[in-house]
């Protein structure tokens, strides 16, 4: 179906968008924190498939999410002159406030308190079930950095959602 | 903090080797702190996977198709232009090499023979031809003819006439 889309068959492209577009948008929205950037990002992901090579080593969805995460990182670097919510190491400036257990929680809300680097790690590990090696390849970081970032991201989430846990 | 707590995340993610996994599982059977941490990791993972996601705007699929088609057309157009440029660049390189070779094999102290025949400007020829080379070679005439043809072809922008 990817090949059909690249050959210009609109129906195949629409089918791909139908299968993966909503999921990709949800991920993009969680990574970007706003609708406008998320929409641009999703468009860029499908356009990027024209140049990127799908080797069939993962599912199409995982491949698309990997492209999306990379694009989000590029977008973030290009906007690096804007004031950042978090410092450059990805650590939060202060501990996130715990949410009340009856607060409405969607993925974007869950990840909004995290730094962009931590959101990427959580998306790739928890939602895409990628291994540490795969995450290291996608993000172009050492495996050790994957482990330490994941550890810190989860600690931030644990503090924020501790009221949701069964004791 | 338990000394094994740094392995809990890797264990949860299936990243421990079999021997380390077995060792940690034996430890988990008796460590409440590590057991609690593992339990929270699992609950967190379930929360994340089950969390609803933002819905895609209704008009976004059409915009994606439009962006994709525009990019595909631009890519096809770019490939054709690139092929054209590469052909022109190859011809220039070949001309420069051919003219240089014919210049190296031509006797003369005044104007190089190629220049007199092709009508090329002085600075163009001297840019590619070293001065005052002398050679007796029957093939040099053919090379000069090729250089003349290519020079006329490439310079046919109104300055030269066939």
């Amino acid at each position: 179906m990817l090949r059909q889309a690249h050959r210009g068959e609109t129906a195949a492209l629409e089918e791909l968008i139908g299968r993966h577009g909503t999921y990709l948008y949800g991920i993009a929205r969680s990574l970007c924190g706003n609708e406008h950037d998320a929409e641009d990002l999703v468009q860029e992901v499908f356009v990027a498939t024209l140049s990127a090579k799908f080797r069939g080593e993962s599912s199409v969805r995982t491949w698309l999410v990997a492209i999306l995460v990379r694009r989000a990182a590029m977008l973030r670097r290009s906007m690096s002159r804007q004031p950042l919510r978090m410092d450059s190491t990805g650590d939060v400036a202060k501990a996130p406030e715990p949410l009340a257990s009856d607060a409405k929680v969607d993925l974007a809300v869950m990840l909004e308190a995290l730094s962009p680097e931590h959101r990427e790690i959580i998306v790739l590990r928890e939602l895409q079930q990628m291994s540490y090696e795969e995450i290291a390849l996608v993000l172009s970081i050492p495996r050790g950095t994957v482990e330490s970032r994941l550890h810190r991201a989860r600690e931030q989430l644990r503090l924020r959602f501790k009221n949701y846990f069964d004791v | 903090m338990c000394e094994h707590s740094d392995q809990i995340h890797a264990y949860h993610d299936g990243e421990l080797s079999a021997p380390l996994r077995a060792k940690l599982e034996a430890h988990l059977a008796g460590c409440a702190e590590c057991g609690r941490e593992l339990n929270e990791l699992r609950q967190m993972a379930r929360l994340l996977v089950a969390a609803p996601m933002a819905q895609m705007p209704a008009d976004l699929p059409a915009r994606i198709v439009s962006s994709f088609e525009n990019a595909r057309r631009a890519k096809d157009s770019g490939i054709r232009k690139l092929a054209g440029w590469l052909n022109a660049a190859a011809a220039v390189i070949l001309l420069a090499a051919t003219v240089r070779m014919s210049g190296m094999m031509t006797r003369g102290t005044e104007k190089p023979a190629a220049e007199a025949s092709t009508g090329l400007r002085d600075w163009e020829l001297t840019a590619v031809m070293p001065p005052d080379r002398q050679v007796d070679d029957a093939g040099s005439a053919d090379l000069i003819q090729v250089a003349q043809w290519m020079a006329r072809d490439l310079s046919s922008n109104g300055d030269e006439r066939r």
Side-chain angles (χ1 to χ4, degrees), chain A residues 31-42:
Chain A
L31 290 175
C32 296
N34 70 83
E35 293 170 358
H36 182 260
D37 287 345
E39 291 173 15
D40 285 348
L41 199 53
V42 172

Side-chain angles (χ1 to χ4, degrees), chain A residues 43 107 132 154 158 166, chain B residues 13 15 40 43 52 63 67:
Chain A
Q43 291 186 69
L107 186 62
Y132 292 175
R154 282 169 166 164
R158 192 183 66 78
D166 301 329
Chain B
D13 295 328
E15 295 280 347
E40 287 180 355
Q43 290 189 66
R63 283 188 276 143
S67 296

